[in-house]
Short mmCIF file of all heavy atoms in Angstrom, two decimals:
data_model
loop_
_atom_site.label_atom_id
_atom_site.label_comp_id
_atom_site.label_asym_id
_atom_site.label_seq_id
_atom_site.Cartn_x
_atom_site.Cartn_y
_atom_site.Cartn_z
N MET A 1 207.98 93.32 280.93
CA MET A 1 208.48 92.36 281.89
C MET A 1 209.70 92.91 282.61
O MET A 1 209.84 92.69 283.80
CB MET A 1 208.81 91.05 281.20
CG MET A 1 207.59 90.27 280.78
SD MET A 1 207.97 88.68 280.06
CE MET A 1 208.71 89.15 278.53
N ARG A 2 210.54 93.60 281.89
CA ARG A 2 211.73 94.16 282.53
C ARG A 2 211.37 95.17 283.61
O ARG A 2 212.08 95.34 284.58
CB ARG A 2 212.64 94.79 281.48
CG ARG A 2 213.24 93.78 280.53
CD ARG A 2 214.23 94.45 279.59
NE ARG A 2 214.56 93.63 278.46
CZ ARG A 2 215.39 92.59 278.49
NH1 ARG A 2 215.94 92.24 279.63
NH2 ARG A 2 215.64 91.89 277.42
N THR A 3 210.24 95.84 283.45
CA THR A 3 209.80 96.83 284.43
C THR A 3 209.51 96.17 285.78
O THR A 3 209.68 96.78 286.82
CB THR A 3 208.53 97.54 283.93
OG1 THR A 3 208.81 98.10 282.66
CG2 THR A 3 208.09 98.64 284.87
N CYS A 4 209.08 94.91 285.76
CA CYS A 4 208.73 94.19 287.00
C CYS A 4 209.97 93.62 287.70
O CYS A 4 209.90 93.29 288.88
CB CYS A 4 207.77 93.05 286.69
SG CYS A 4 206.19 93.60 286.06
N VAL A 10 204.96 89.17 292.82
CA VAL A 10 204.07 89.75 291.83
C VAL A 10 202.80 88.91 291.69
O VAL A 10 202.87 87.68 291.65
CB VAL A 10 204.78 89.83 290.46
CG1 VAL A 10 203.83 90.29 289.37
CG2 VAL A 10 205.97 90.75 290.53
N ILE A 11 201.65 89.58 291.61
CA ILE A 11 200.40 88.94 291.21
C ILE A 11 200.04 89.49 289.84
O ILE A 11 200.02 90.71 289.64
CB ILE A 11 199.26 89.21 292.20
CG1 ILE A 11 199.52 88.48 293.51
CG2 ILE A 11 197.92 88.76 291.61
CD1 ILE A 11 198.44 88.67 294.54
N ILE A 12 199.78 88.58 288.90
CA ILE A 12 199.36 88.95 287.56
C ILE A 12 197.90 88.57 287.41
O ILE A 12 197.52 87.42 287.67
CB ILE A 12 200.22 88.24 286.50
CG1 ILE A 12 201.68 88.69 286.63
CG2 ILE A 12 199.68 88.50 285.10
CD1 ILE A 12 202.64 87.94 285.74
N VAL A 13 197.07 89.52 286.99
CA VAL A 13 195.64 89.28 286.79
C VAL A 13 195.32 89.55 285.33
O VAL A 13 195.66 90.61 284.80
CB VAL A 13 194.77 90.19 287.69
CG1 VAL A 13 193.29 89.89 287.48
CG2 VAL A 13 195.15 90.03 289.15
N VAL A 14 194.66 88.58 284.69
CA VAL A 14 194.32 88.66 283.27
C VAL A 14 192.81 88.63 283.11
O VAL A 14 192.14 87.84 283.77
CB VAL A 14 194.92 87.47 282.49
CG1 VAL A 14 194.50 87.51 281.02
CG2 VAL A 14 196.43 87.43 282.62
N GLN A 15 192.30 89.46 282.23
CA GLN A 15 190.93 89.33 281.75
C GLN A 15 191.07 89.09 280.26
O GLN A 15 191.71 89.88 279.55
CB GLN A 15 190.11 90.59 282.01
CG GLN A 15 188.68 90.47 281.51
CD GLN A 15 187.85 91.72 281.79
OE1 GLN A 15 188.39 92.81 281.98
NE2 GLN A 15 186.56 91.57 281.82
N ASP A 16 190.51 87.97 279.78
CA ASP A 16 190.63 87.68 278.35
C ASP A 16 189.42 88.25 277.60
O ASP A 16 188.52 88.82 278.21
CB ASP A 16 190.84 86.18 278.10
CG ASP A 16 189.64 85.31 278.42
OD1 ASP A 16 188.54 85.84 278.65
OD2 ASP A 16 189.82 84.08 278.44
N THR A 17 189.42 88.10 276.29
CA THR A 17 188.35 88.67 275.47
C THR A 17 187.03 87.93 275.65
O THR A 17 185.99 88.40 275.18
CB THR A 17 188.74 88.69 273.97
OG1 THR A 17 189.13 87.38 273.57
CG2 THR A 17 189.87 89.68 273.73
N ASP A 19 186.02 87.47 278.70
CA ASP A 19 185.74 88.02 280.03
C ASP A 19 186.04 87.06 281.19
O ASP A 19 185.57 87.28 282.30
CB ASP A 19 184.33 88.59 280.14
CG ASP A 19 184.20 89.89 279.36
OD1 ASP A 19 185.20 90.64 279.30
OD2 ASP A 19 183.11 90.16 278.83
N ALA A 20 186.82 86.02 280.93
CA ALA A 20 187.31 85.17 282.03
C ALA A 20 188.38 85.97 282.78
O ALA A 20 189.15 86.72 282.16
CB ALA A 20 187.90 83.87 281.49
N ILE A 21 188.42 85.81 284.10
CA ILE A 21 189.42 86.49 284.92
C ILE A 21 190.23 85.43 285.66
O ILE A 21 189.66 84.55 286.32
CB ILE A 21 188.75 87.46 285.92
CG1 ILE A 21 188.01 88.56 285.15
CG2 ILE A 21 189.80 88.07 286.86
CD1 ILE A 21 187.19 89.48 286.01
N PHE A 22 191.56 85.52 285.54
CA PHE A 22 192.44 84.50 286.10
C PHE A 22 193.84 85.07 286.22
O PHE A 22 194.10 86.19 285.78
CB PHE A 22 192.44 83.25 285.22
CG PHE A 22 192.70 83.54 283.76
CD1 PHE A 22 193.99 83.52 283.26
CD2 PHE A 22 191.66 83.84 282.90
CE1 PHE A 22 194.24 83.79 281.93
CE2 PHE A 22 191.89 84.12 281.57
CZ PHE A 22 193.19 84.10 281.07
N GLY A 23 194.75 84.31 286.82
CA GLY A 23 196.11 84.79 286.93
C GLY A 23 196.98 83.91 287.78
O GLY A 23 196.66 82.74 288.03
N GLY A 24 198.07 84.50 288.26
CA GLY A 24 199.02 83.75 289.05
C GLY A 24 199.83 84.64 289.96
O GLY A 24 199.87 85.86 289.78
N PHE A 26 203.67 85.03 291.64
CA PHE A 26 205.09 84.71 291.70
C PHE A 26 205.54 84.91 293.14
O PHE A 26 205.38 85.99 293.69
CB PHE A 26 205.93 85.66 290.85
CG PHE A 26 206.10 85.29 289.42
CD1 PHE A 26 205.49 86.03 288.44
CD2 PHE A 26 206.92 84.24 289.06
CE1 PHE A 26 205.68 85.73 287.10
CE2 PHE A 26 207.13 83.93 287.72
CZ PHE A 26 206.49 84.67 286.75
N MET A 30 210.46 88.90 290.18
CA MET A 30 210.50 88.45 288.79
C MET A 30 211.86 88.79 288.19
O MET A 30 212.35 89.91 288.34
CB MET A 30 209.39 89.13 288.01
CG MET A 30 209.19 88.56 286.63
SD MET A 30 207.84 89.38 285.75
CE MET A 30 206.44 88.81 286.69
N PHE A 45 195.14 81.05 289.88
CA PHE A 45 193.77 81.24 290.35
C PHE A 45 192.86 81.61 289.18
O PHE A 45 193.32 82.04 288.13
CB PHE A 45 193.70 82.33 291.42
CG PHE A 45 194.10 83.70 290.93
CD1 PHE A 45 193.18 84.56 290.38
CD2 PHE A 45 195.42 84.10 291.02
CE1 PHE A 45 193.56 85.81 289.92
CE2 PHE A 45 195.81 85.36 290.57
CZ PHE A 45 194.87 86.21 290.02
N CYS A 67 210.24 83.13 283.37
CA CYS A 67 210.18 84.48 282.81
C CYS A 67 211.42 84.69 281.94
O CYS A 67 212.54 84.70 282.45
CB CYS A 67 210.14 85.50 283.95
SG CYS A 67 210.03 87.19 283.39
N ASP A 70 210.63 85.38 275.86
CA ASP A 70 209.45 84.86 275.16
C ASP A 70 208.15 85.14 275.90
O ASP A 70 207.09 85.16 275.30
CB ASP A 70 209.58 83.34 274.96
CG ASP A 70 210.77 82.98 274.09
OD1 ASP A 70 211.10 83.76 273.17
OD2 ASP A 70 211.39 81.94 274.35
N GLY A 71 208.23 85.28 277.23
CA GLY A 71 207.02 85.54 278.00
C GLY A 71 207.14 85.08 279.44
O GLY A 71 208.23 84.77 279.93
N ILE A 72 205.99 85.03 280.10
CA ILE A 72 205.89 84.68 281.52
C ILE A 72 205.08 83.39 281.63
O ILE A 72 203.98 83.30 281.09
CB ILE A 72 205.19 85.80 282.30
CG1 ILE A 72 205.92 87.12 282.12
CG2 ILE A 72 205.05 85.43 283.77
CD1 ILE A 72 205.10 88.32 282.55
N GLY A 73 205.60 82.41 282.38
CA GLY A 73 204.89 81.15 282.53
C GLY A 73 204.78 80.71 283.97
O GLY A 73 205.64 81.02 284.80
N PHE A 74 203.72 79.99 284.26
CA PHE A 74 203.49 79.39 285.58
C PHE A 74 203.28 77.90 285.38
O PHE A 74 202.43 77.49 284.59
CB PHE A 74 202.22 79.95 286.22
CG PHE A 74 202.27 81.38 286.61
CD1 PHE A 74 202.02 82.38 285.69
CD2 PHE A 74 202.55 81.74 287.92
CE1 PHE A 74 202.04 83.71 286.07
CE2 PHE A 74 202.58 83.06 288.30
CZ PHE A 74 202.33 84.05 287.37
N LEU A 82 199.78 78.45 282.93
CA LEU A 82 199.46 79.76 282.39
C LEU A 82 200.71 80.32 281.73
O LEU A 82 201.79 80.30 282.32
CB LEU A 82 198.98 80.72 283.50
CG LEU A 82 198.75 82.18 283.10
CD1 LEU A 82 197.67 82.29 282.03
CD2 LEU A 82 198.38 83.00 284.33
N PHE A 83 200.55 80.80 280.50
CA PHE A 83 201.65 81.45 279.79
C PHE A 83 201.11 82.70 279.13
O PHE A 83 200.04 82.69 278.52
CB PHE A 83 202.25 80.53 278.72
CG PHE A 83 203.43 81.15 278.02
CD1 PHE A 83 204.68 81.16 278.61
CD2 PHE A 83 203.28 81.76 276.79
CE1 PHE A 83 205.78 81.75 277.99
CE2 PHE A 83 204.36 82.35 276.15
CZ PHE A 83 205.61 82.34 276.75
N ILE A 84 201.84 83.80 279.27
CA ILE A 84 201.51 85.07 278.62
C ILE A 84 202.71 85.46 277.78
O ILE A 84 203.83 85.55 278.29
CB ILE A 84 201.19 86.16 279.66
CG1 ILE A 84 200.03 85.70 280.54
CG2 ILE A 84 200.87 87.47 278.96
CD1 ILE A 84 199.85 86.52 281.79
N ASP A 85 202.49 85.68 276.48
CA ASP A 85 203.63 85.97 275.60
C ASP A 85 204.21 87.35 275.88
O ASP A 85 203.63 88.16 276.59
CB ASP A 85 203.25 85.79 274.13
CG ASP A 85 202.36 86.88 273.57
OD1 ASP A 85 202.14 87.92 274.22
OD2 ASP A 85 201.87 86.70 272.44
N SER A 86 205.38 87.59 275.34
CA SER A 86 206.13 88.82 275.65
C SER A 86 205.42 90.09 275.17
O SER A 86 205.69 91.17 275.70
CB SER A 86 207.53 88.75 275.06
OG SER A 86 207.47 88.62 273.65
N SER A 87 204.50 89.97 274.23
CA SER A 87 203.74 91.15 273.80
C SER A 87 202.64 91.51 274.80
O SER A 87 202.05 92.58 274.72
CB SER A 87 203.10 90.91 272.42
OG SER A 87 202.01 89.99 272.54
N LEU A 88 202.38 90.59 275.74
CA LEU A 88 201.34 90.73 276.76
C LEU A 88 199.94 90.85 276.16
O LEU A 88 199.03 91.37 276.79
CB LEU A 88 201.63 91.92 277.69
CG LEU A 88 203.00 91.93 278.37
CD1 LEU A 88 203.15 93.18 279.22
CD2 LEU A 88 203.22 90.67 279.19
N THR A 89 199.77 90.32 274.95
CA THR A 89 198.47 90.39 274.28
C THR A 89 197.82 89.03 274.06
O THR A 89 196.65 88.96 273.70
CB THR A 89 198.59 91.09 272.91
OG1 THR A 89 199.46 90.33 272.07
CG2 THR A 89 199.10 92.51 273.07
N ALA A 90 198.57 87.96 274.27
CA ALA A 90 198.04 86.62 274.03
C ALA A 90 198.67 85.63 275.00
O ALA A 90 199.72 85.90 275.59
CB ALA A 90 198.35 86.18 272.59
N GLY A 91 198.02 84.50 275.17
CA GLY A 91 198.56 83.50 276.07
C GLY A 91 197.87 82.17 275.91
O GLY A 91 197.03 81.98 275.02
N SER A 92 198.23 81.25 276.80
CA SER A 92 197.62 79.92 276.79
C SER A 92 197.50 79.41 278.22
O SER A 92 198.21 79.87 279.11
CB SER A 92 198.46 78.96 275.94
OG SER A 92 199.75 78.80 276.50
N LEU A 104 192.47 77.74 282.95
CA LEU A 104 191.95 78.90 283.67
C LEU A 104 190.94 79.71 282.86
O LEU A 104 190.15 80.46 283.42
CB LEU A 104 193.11 79.80 284.09
CG LEU A 104 194.20 79.12 284.92
CD1 LEU A 104 195.35 80.09 285.17
CD2 LEU A 104 193.64 78.58 286.23
N PHE A 110 194.19 82.18 274.41
CA PHE A 110 193.32 83.33 274.64
C PHE A 110 194.00 84.62 274.20
O PHE A 110 195.22 84.69 274.03
CB PHE A 110 192.92 83.42 276.12
CG PHE A 110 194.08 83.55 277.07
CD1 PHE A 110 194.63 84.79 277.37
CD2 PHE A 110 194.63 82.43 277.67
CE1 PHE A 110 195.70 84.91 278.23
CE2 PHE A 110 195.70 82.53 278.54
CZ PHE A 110 196.24 83.78 278.83
N THR A 111 193.18 85.65 274.04
CA THR A 111 193.65 86.99 273.76
C THR A 111 193.41 87.83 275.01
O THR A 111 192.33 87.77 275.60
CB THR A 111 192.90 87.60 272.56
OG1 THR A 111 193.10 86.76 271.42
CG2 THR A 111 193.40 89.00 272.25
N VAL A 112 194.41 88.58 275.40
CA VAL A 112 194.33 89.41 276.60
C VAL A 112 193.50 90.66 276.29
O VAL A 112 193.81 91.39 275.35
CB VAL A 112 195.74 89.82 277.10
CG1 VAL A 112 195.64 90.80 278.26
CG2 VAL A 112 196.54 88.59 277.48
N LYS A 113 192.48 90.89 277.09
CA LYS A 113 191.70 92.12 277.01
C LYS A 113 192.28 93.15 277.99
O LYS A 113 192.38 94.33 277.68
CB LYS A 113 190.25 91.82 277.36
CG LYS A 113 189.32 93.01 277.34
CD LYS A 113 187.90 92.54 277.65
CE LYS A 113 186.89 93.67 277.65
NZ LYS A 113 185.53 93.14 277.94
N ARG A 114 192.65 92.66 279.16
CA ARG A 114 193.21 93.53 280.20
C ARG A 114 194.20 92.72 281.03
O ARG A 114 193.95 91.55 281.32
CB ARG A 114 192.08 94.04 281.08
CG ARG A 114 192.49 95.01 282.12
CD ARG A 114 191.30 95.51 282.89
NE ARG A 114 191.70 96.66 283.65
CZ ARG A 114 190.94 97.67 283.92
NH1 ARG A 114 189.70 97.70 283.50
NH2 ARG A 114 191.39 98.68 284.63
N LEU A 115 195.29 93.34 281.40
CA LEU A 115 196.30 92.67 282.22
C LEU A 115 196.77 93.67 283.28
O LEU A 115 197.08 94.81 282.95
CB LEU A 115 197.48 92.23 281.36
CG LEU A 115 198.56 91.47 282.11
CD1 LEU A 115 198.97 90.24 281.32
CD2 LEU A 115 199.76 92.34 282.36
N GLU A 116 196.79 93.22 284.52
CA GLU A 116 197.27 94.07 285.61
C GLU A 116 198.32 93.30 286.39
O GLU A 116 198.22 92.09 286.57
CB GLU A 116 196.12 94.48 286.53
CG GLU A 116 195.07 95.25 285.77
CD GLU A 116 194.36 96.28 286.57
OE1 GLU A 116 194.81 96.60 287.69
OE2 GLU A 116 193.36 96.79 286.07
N VAL A 117 199.34 94.01 286.84
CA VAL A 117 200.43 93.42 287.61
C VAL A 117 200.56 94.21 288.90
O VAL A 117 200.65 95.43 288.88
CB VAL A 117 201.76 93.47 286.82
CG1 VAL A 117 202.89 92.88 287.65
CG2 VAL A 117 201.63 92.75 285.48
N PHE A 118 200.57 93.48 290.02
CA PHE A 118 200.71 94.09 291.33
C PHE A 118 201.98 93.56 291.98
O PHE A 118 202.15 92.35 292.08
CB PHE A 118 199.51 93.76 292.23
CG PHE A 118 198.20 94.23 291.66
CD1 PHE A 118 197.45 93.40 290.83
CD2 PHE A 118 197.73 95.50 291.94
CE1 PHE A 118 196.25 93.83 290.30
CE2 PHE A 118 196.53 95.94 291.40
CZ PHE A 118 195.77 95.10 290.58
N GLY A 119 202.85 94.45 292.41
CA GLY A 119 204.10 94.05 293.05
C GLY A 119 204.03 94.27 294.55
O GLY A 119 203.38 95.20 295.03
#
Side-chain angles (χ1 to χ4, degrees):
M1 287 184 290
R2 293 185 195 283
T3 304
C4 296
V10 174
I11 290 181
I12 297 174
V13 181
V14 177
Q15 180 179 22
D16 69 11
T17 54
D19 288 327
I21 297 173
F22 51 91
F26 272 110
M30 190 179 291
F45 64 88
C67 181
D70 298 326
I72 303 164
F74 292 84
L82 174 60
F83 183 80
I84 302 165
D85 73 10
S86 60
S87 72
L88 306 178
T89 62
S92 63
L104 305 175
F110 59 86
T111 301
V112 174
K113 179 177 180 180
R114 184 177 194 146
L115 183 134
E116 300 212 12
V117 179
F118 301 90

